[in-house]
Amino acid sequence: MFLVGLTGGIASGKSSVIQVFQQLGCAVIDVDVIARHVVQPGYPAHRRIVEAFGTEVLLENGDINRKVLGDLIFNQPDRRHLLNTITHPEIRKEMMKETFKYFLRGYRYVILDIPLLFETKKLLKYMKHTVVVYCDRDTQLARLMRRNNLNREDAEARINAQLPLKDKARMARHVLDNSGEWSITKRQVILLHAELERSLEYLPLRLGVLTGLAGIASLLYLLTRYLLPSP
């Protein structure tokens, strides 16, 4: 099995692309879902967030108020970095657990939906393939204004807070261009899935694991022969 890191930008259409991959039967790990999970009450990240940002980031039921927390770190790189140092290690642990589950189920590859794949670069070394869902800036701006009911200034501020999509596209191995008709984008996703399914890059790891398991089995067999008394 190998890992495919997929990312995009705000209003680029990444969520729609992920849905197509899931419809094709692909294993997808959504980092946003994991990120919400690891900050639930009772988890270490929840306690550390409250210590760092205060109880004003809590809802009445004790959950993290994501909107309030998002407003606190917006346009404040130091506070955003602090939050990332709290949550990212916990997110990585959960991602590895989920990936191993798919490995055991025999999937050839797993897609990791990672919004900050190229910004943090911490997970890049684990990715055999990287994919960016791209759209041109004018399309991105228009979609964001329409989707979030934002004026142009606010929408541009949110886009400017992220690494530009054109920069991500230059760093990615695969680019899915979602600037035009959705049918064209969907076709690109289907073709990429077919390419990844044909790849034999999953074999080395799987063969390595099977070889390791065979070695362990042989060792256990020898131990039982020498340590257990003969009948």
Side-chain angles (χ1 to χ4, degrees):
M1 187 187 71
F2 58 90
L3 302 181
V4 178
L6 187 145
T7 191
I10 189 169
S12 70
K14 178 170 64 71
S15 297
S16 298
V17 165
I18 286 290
Q19 289 178 1
V20 177
F21 274 116
Q22 290 174 323
Q23 290 166 4
L24 292 170
C26 299
V28 178
I29 297 175
D30 188 336
V31 175
D32 281 341
V33 172
I34 293 177
R36 289 192 291 269
H37 175 74
V38 300
V39 297
Q40 291 178 341
Y43 287 82
H46 180 277
R47 174 180 54 79
R48 292 185 61 196
I49 288 173
V50 175
E51 291 174 352
F53 296 95
T55 56
E56 62 267 26
V57 301
L58 295 178
L59 295 168
E60 290 184 2
N61 64 358
D63 289 343
I64 298 293
N65 188 324
R66 293 171 64 85
K67 183 181 184 306
V68 170
L69 184 58
D71 290 341
L72 283 176
I73 66 173
F74 188 66
N75 283 333
Q76 296 192 56
D78 290 345
R79 304 195 83 178
R80 185 183 300 116
H81 177 72
L82 174 59
L83 178 62
N84 290 341
T85 59
I86 293 172
T87 58
H88 285 184
E90 301 301 321
I91 291 171
R92 284 196 295 272
K93 290 178 188 177
E94 290 299 318
M95 285 174 55
M96 292 303 104
K97 290 179 185 177
E98 292 299 314
T99 299
F100 187 65
K101 291 178 184 178
Y102 285 121
F103 172 80
L104 293 178
R105 292 168 62 183
Y107 281 84
R108 291 193 173 192
Y109 73 92
V110 174
I111 296 172
L112 298 179
D113 177 3
I114 309 173
L116 299 177
L117 177 63
F118 292 113
E119 288 86 341
T120 64
K121 295 183 172 62
K122 293 185 180 297
L123 295 173
L124 272 176
K125 61 183 177 181
Y126 303 112
M127 303 300 138
K128 199 69 169 180
H129 294 258
T130 53
V131 183
V132 164
V133 182
Y134 170 85
C135 67
D136 61 76
R137 185 179 173 87
D138 289 341
T139 300
Q140 184 182 23
L141 183 62
R143 287 175 179 168
L144 181 58
M145 290 171 64
R146 183 172 59 250
R147 188 190 72 183
N148 290 29
N149 194 28
L150 297 174
N151 60 42
R152 187 181 186 89
E153 182 180 356
D154 289 342
E156 286 184 334
R158 292 185 181 275
I159 292 174
N160 291 336
Q162 298 183 339
L163 185 67
L165 279 172
K166 62 180 181 180
D167 292 345
K168 294 183 181 183
R170 282 196 293 265
M171 292 185 281
R173 183 168 176 178
H174 308 277
V175 177
L176 300 173
D177 191 344
N178 190 34
S179 301
E181 297 293 328
W182 171 243
S183 59
I184 298 175
T185 303
K186 187 174 181 179
R187 178 65 177 166
Q188 294 175 64
V189 178
I190 294 171
L191 290 174
L192 177 57
H193 169 60
E195 177 184 340
L196 295 174
E197 277 289 297
R198 289 194 302 269
S199 172
L200 299 178
E201 290 171 311
Y202 73 96
L203 284 176
L205 176 59
R206 193 163 295 279
L207 290 174
V209 171
L210 290 176
T211 301
L213 291 175
I216 293 173
S218 299
L219 179 60
L220 291 175
Y221 173 74
L222 291 173
L223 287 173
T224 55
R225 286 198 61 183
Y226 284 100
L227 296 180
L228 293 180
S230 301

